[in-house]
């Protein structure tokens, strides 16, 4: 099969890989209909994070059709169209049952498998995969794929930020996750949604997804603007969808005491000084999003065409042109790149 | 009047100070019935934190009788017995109304006033002070004084750790706040309460307050024991009541993914590495406790003799012997020292 491998910073190749096989009776093999490049894939691409192997199989987002199942798989059948999260989970342990499937005690990170490929092995298929109500029409594929990571992650950020009626929610980050968080905050009923963005196309999509205010300031200055816009108090909740020291403190400083910071940007070089955090008095919650918690609801909202999160994809390429997809995202020519095997 | 001043590390003196006066029409003057030494007073005493002035007026915990009121004070009258928190608050701003009175937009830290004295000015008296149902009998004074800070702080820690029925709660720290958190977790219905302590007298009081398990391990080892005791998952919630790097990570590591860390130990030298925190996937909430939120309920529980948090005081001294009180706490001969003006 064809699959995407990263050999080093800036060096992405689509090449022949061995077909995956059922290794455990709880595995399924998926024929990938669509996959994509994640903002987190850019960290090793930019040399800001080491590869886990050389070369490393890339990708952790996926939708597709079940091609084969292990002997113990009972919730999905060959031929089912399914969506899964970037973390395989049993969905039965106490952590999963509490809604934290991304930290399942049997978790398998899909990034270690690489779903930017024609086929992918899905561990713990019963717990991981969610069937769509039927065979989706082609125009629903991008939105279902978004649910696999960015939508689910933005949704989690908005839930962690306690977005809801009467609330003012700010979103730090105008990438696919940040934009998805705007959509989520809107859907969850937030009254006012403030987004930080300097990028015209992303500002436009943010407004389409429900943003009420766009700010171009950053860092302490950006946070101060949110405080100013909220009567001196700060936002009720802020979603952090970048992962840098500046963006984390921007999120914390934009939040009122007692408010909620939902942080979903994978941290890079972040150090939180304890006393500053102590006196910020916010709720801080985040980490790898338990997308599986939200998948059934998100799939239904997409199926019913209530939400259209697939709009975050602004470039679609064949899998063989993955390298161009990485380049486009690296250069911010594309927000999110969909790849079709 | 007599008041306690700190001149430098280890140098505490009770001496003559000028009587406080009404400065704002929202002030009250309190005749202090009882005050105490706080664990946080030990930081400058040990030279681990600079003084705010030389000498600095000490103390922020207090119960007593209203001696004088400003023109705009309406909720308390001269002669009322009252309890207040270590932060004066208006109790009307959006932050207060949301239950975060310790971060009121008009907050005044009582530590800047110094309540280890015969008299104390209480700013924002209407918002800050809570009347007891009547004149308390002498044996209730220690418990009412505990409500002013340590009980309210431990209570907040337990609430932030989401202590409740069916939950396993761990408490890091066996000082007065940690012990109060045990009492709170028990009162809030926690099923199992694990306390870290190596101090026999504190272990005994922890058990009396409702601890079910005592652990003598610390740091990563202590956290690992909690994970082991909870089927490999970690506690549902952990109260951090120390404020050091080791204790913070002990609390975070002892908490299951998706669980709750309530941190109330004032941070000293704590740096939280972002990626470690990201993958811990806990809820982190804390800071200076909004004691005022809980005071009416705590005063009633004490009045009804449902709880006896005053047991954390194991040494009572006249105000003039404050220096010995600081020494006893510094040397861990006393858990908490009550001072009577």
């Amino acid at each position: 099969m064809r699959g995407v491998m990263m050999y080093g910073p800036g060096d992405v190749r689509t090449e022949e890989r061995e077909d995956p096989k059922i290794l455990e009776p709880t595995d399924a093999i998926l024929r990938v209909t669509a996959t994509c490049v994640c903002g987190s894939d850019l960290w090793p691409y930019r040399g800001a994070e080491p590869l886990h192997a050389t070369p490393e199989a890339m990708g952790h987002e996926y939708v597709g059709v079940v091609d084969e199942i292990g002997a113990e798989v009972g919730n999905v059948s060959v031929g089912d169209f399914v969506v899964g999260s970037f973390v395989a989970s049993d969905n039965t342990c106490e952590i999963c049952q509490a809604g934290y499937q991304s930290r399942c005690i049997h978790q398998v990170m899909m990034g270690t498998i690489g779903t930017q490929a024609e086929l992918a092995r899905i561990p713990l298929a019963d717990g991981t995969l969610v069937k769509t109500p039927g065979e989706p029409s082609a125009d629903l594929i991008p939105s279902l794929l978004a649910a696999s990571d960015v939508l689910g992650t933005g949704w989690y950020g908005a839930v962690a930020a306690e977005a809801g009626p009467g609330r003012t929610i700010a979103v730090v980050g105008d990438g696919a996750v940040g934009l998805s968080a705007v959509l989520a905050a809107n859907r969850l009923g937030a009254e006012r949604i403030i987004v930080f963005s300097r990028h015209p196309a992303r500002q436009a999509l943010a407004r389409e997804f429900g943003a009420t205010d766009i700010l171009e300031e950053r860092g302490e200055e950006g946070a101060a603007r949110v405080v100013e816009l909220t009567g001196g108090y700060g936002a009720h909740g802020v979603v952090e969808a970048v992962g840098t020291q500046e963006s984390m403190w921007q999120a914390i400083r934009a939040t009122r005491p007692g408010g909620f910071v939902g942080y979903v940007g994978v941290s890079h070089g972040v150090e939180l000084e304890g006393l500053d955090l102590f006196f910020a008095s916010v709720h801080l919650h985040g980490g790898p999003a338990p997308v599986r918690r939200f998948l059934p609801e998100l799939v239904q909202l997409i199926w019913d065409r209530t939400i259209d999160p697939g709009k975050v994809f602004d470039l679609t390429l064949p899998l063989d042109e993955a390298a161009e997809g990485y380049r486009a995202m690296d250069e911010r020519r594309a927000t999110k790149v969909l790849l079709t095997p």
Side-chain angles (χ1 to χ4, degrees), chain A residues 67-124:
Chain A
D67 199 59
E68 190 184 346
I69 56 172
E72 290 176 18
V73 174
N75 292 349
V76 295
S77 309
V78 171
D80 284 346
F81 194 94
V82 294
V83 188
S85 130
F86 61 93
V87 183
S89 54
D90 64 25
N91 212 27
T92 57
C93 76
E94 279 193 32
I95 307 299
C96 284
Q97 288 296 300
Y100 287 87
Q101 291 91 340
S102 50
R103 291 301 315 284
C104 169
I105 50 165
H106 297 120
Q107 69 171 62
V108 180
M109 299 301 287
M110 291 302 298
T112 64
I113 287 176
T115 63
Q116 291 166 8
E118 290 178 289
L119 296 165
R121 182 176 71 89
I122 312 292
L124 305 167

Side-chain angles (χ1 to χ4, degrees), chain A residues 186-200:
Chain A
N186 183 43
R187 181 75 206 158
L188 292 164
E191 184 173 299
R192 190 173 187 184
I193 303 170
I194 303 168
V195 181
F196 294 95
S197 176
R198 295 176 175 183
H199 190 293

Side-chain angles (χ1 to χ4, degrees), chain A residues 249-306:
Chain A
W249 282 108
Q250 184 174 337
I252 293 167
R253 296 291 183 216
T255 306
R256 64 180 57 195
F260 296 82
V261 177
Y263 65 106
V264 291
V266 181
S267 296
H268 284 79
V270 173
E271 285 278 350
L272 299 180
E273 204 283 314
L275 201 61
D276 287 342
L277 191 64
F278 187 83
F279 284 104
S281 305
V282 298
H283 297 76
L284 196 61
H285 184 44
V291 171
R292 180 63 181 81
R293 187 204 307 179
F294 307 109
L295 268 183
E297 179 187 359
L298 299 181
V299 165
Q300 196 61 50
L301 287 169
I302 292 164
W303 200 262
D304 297 340
R305 297 177 191 275
T306 306

Side-chain angles (χ1 to χ4, degrees), chain A residues 42 53 60 137 141 148 152 172 179 197 202 209 216 235 247 323 333:
Chain A
L42 296 182
H60 51 261
S137 60
I141 300 291
S148 178
V172 181
L179 293 167
S197 176
R202 297 178 185 201
F209 280 171
E216 302 209 346
S247 63
R333 285 184 281 118

